[in-house]
Amino acid sequence: MSKREDRTAHWGTCEDEDCMTSMVIYPHPDAVADLPDEDDWENSPFFVDCPVCGSGMDWGGTDHPADILKNY
């Protein structure tokens, strides 16, 4: 399996019902490694807060980036 085939996109929605911002986090196609698992984000300063309102994100699932992003 090539590096490009072994990729994960994490998607979620803001926990604040008045905001509901959606976000997809994915590795650049040329990145050497895939993203870390969601469990590794819990104490990380990255990928935790909504970029719009600052609330937490409810990470809903994972897919291959090509299933979510056009021309990945």
Side-chain angles (χ1 to χ4, degrees):
M1 182 180 291
S2 75
K3 290 181 205 172
R4 189 177 176 97
E5 292 173 355
D6 188 23
R7 299 293 187 196
T8 306
H10 298 266
W11 53 267
T13 305
C14 178
E15 294 174 346
D16 184 335
E17 292 181 7
D18 292 327
C19 179
M20 300 298 289
T21 295
S22 294
M23 183 174 4
V24 176
I25 305 294
Y26 59 95
H28 187 279
D30 296 331
V32 176
D34 194 22
L35 295 175
D37 291 331
E38 285 178 56
D39 295 340
D40 296 333
W41 298 359
E42 190 169 325
N43 295 317
S44 170
F46 308 107
F47 313 133
V48 176
D49 296 329
C50 173
V52 175
C53 74
S55 295
M57 294 294 292
D58 180 19
W59 295 103
T62 58
D63 289 291
H64 190 279
D67 294 339
I68 300 172
L69 305 165
K70 186 175 182 176
N71 299 323
Y72 182 84

